[in-house]
Amino acid sequence: MEQAAAVDPILDLARPSILRNPYPSYDRMRETGPVFWHELLGSWVLTRHADCLAVLTDSNRFASDWRRAGEDIPAPLLSVQTLDPPEHTAIRHLLLDGFRAQDRQALHDDLEGQIADLLAELAGRPSFDLVGELAEPIALRFVTAFLGVPAPELDWFVPMSRTVVDGMDAGLWPEKHEPAVAARAQLAEYAGGWLADPPKDGLIAYVAEHAADSGVAETVLRNSLRAVLHAGYESASRLLGNAAAALLATPGALDAFRATPATAVDELIRYDAPVQADARVCVTDTELGGVTMKAGDPVTLFLGAANHDPLRFDHPTELRLDRAPNPHLGFGRGAHACLGASMAIRLTGSVLGTLATDHPGARAVAEPEHRRNLTLRGLDRFEVCLRPDTGEEVRP
């Protein structure tokens, strides 16, 4: 009798049935060995909250800039996301100062009107794709309005953005690497055009005015603006999709959201975060989680697993919209914590708050379909109806 082929615990995450809910698989990894070496990735894998937090907050021993471990990094990949101090400090401070200089309240006030109008329009239809017709266009409008530039065409931008996301899983599927590098370069060139002819308002205007005194190389600056555009769009659109799917799958959750919107968004991030994994490289021999990591060893942090760690969260499989405190790692920690986390959180709160208040009868028409991405989790399609259920069949 033939023996069954061994199942790789990480490749197995890409199976459609597990993509829908990877958290039981994360639990098995954590119980079997919370820190383990994965041969295909060529990396240590961490699944516990404490271990992931230790790596995220220790840039001395764990680098985001792989050049510190002797790697040759292509120029399109050097940005605020991939540099470490002191290079990282200059670009992060420039961007943070630009963020703080914006009138974020006015931006949100304007966007809330757009959200209400779009949802009212979609409510008149039997059903619609929440991903392609709500989450993606709203997220792109939001991030480009904050940047102060016109939104590119969705038909051009979305496929390129998804190519970049696909490349984040190149450790498992190497064929995704080169297309992602090319897409990053094209997006950086697009972002560079903003600096050549900057708008009068927004983050780009601030950066263009202060770039000369920042000490940031032009290539890094262009790549970092590309990263703000891409990461802001992907984080917000995927968070919206994941959060809406979780709310509509949980009886009474829309009503509960109205009661505690701030803690509810935090819990939705913990429960099904868009950022499921992150990577660092060990730059000095280190003991962590009962193993010795050598200088040059890659380290993969399964943040999705960490956010469901029962050692850190009571009843982690339950969606508790009033959970507080909630020390999830959904937007990272330390020097590389997401710059636009507060924006994505507020956008999600605005969309879901309007949905819960104006369309309390919202319901799923079909099961959400997930993209085949392991690093950045999100939906491909999610058919939704905003009308109350009358017992009649609704067809897309």
Side-chain angles (χ1 to χ4, degrees), residues 90-105:
I91 180 60
R92 186 174 178 89
H93 281 179
L94 175 62
L95 293 174
L96 276 175
D97 289 346
F99 269 68
R100 294 173 181 135
Q102 306 310 306
D103 187 346
R104 283 173 282 181
Q105 185 60 52

Side-chain angles (χ1 to χ4, degrees), residues 115 145 172 199 276 358 372:
I115 291 168
L172 296 173
Q276 291 281 296
D358 295 353
R372 189 172 177 261

Side-chain angles (χ1 to χ4, degrees), residues 135-182:
E136 290 180 343
I138 282 291
L140 189 57
R141 284 186 215 173
F142 181 63
V143 70
T144 51
F146 185 77
L147 291 168
V149 296
E153 292 294 329
L154 279 167
D155 290 346
W156 173 79
F157 179 79
V158 171
M160 193 173 306
S161 182
R162 290 185 172 189
T163 298
V164 173
V165 174
D166 289 346
M168 296 175 184
D169 294 331
L172 296 173
W173 300 291
E175 69 277 6
K176 298 179 181 293
H177 175 69
E178 289 302 328
V181 172

Side-chain angles (χ1 to χ4, degrees), residues 108-122:
H108 282 284
D109 289 346
D110 180 62
L111 192 72
E112 286 190 346
Q114 296 182 43
I115 291 168
D117 291 345
L118 181 53
L119 281 170
E121 176 188 334
L122 294 170

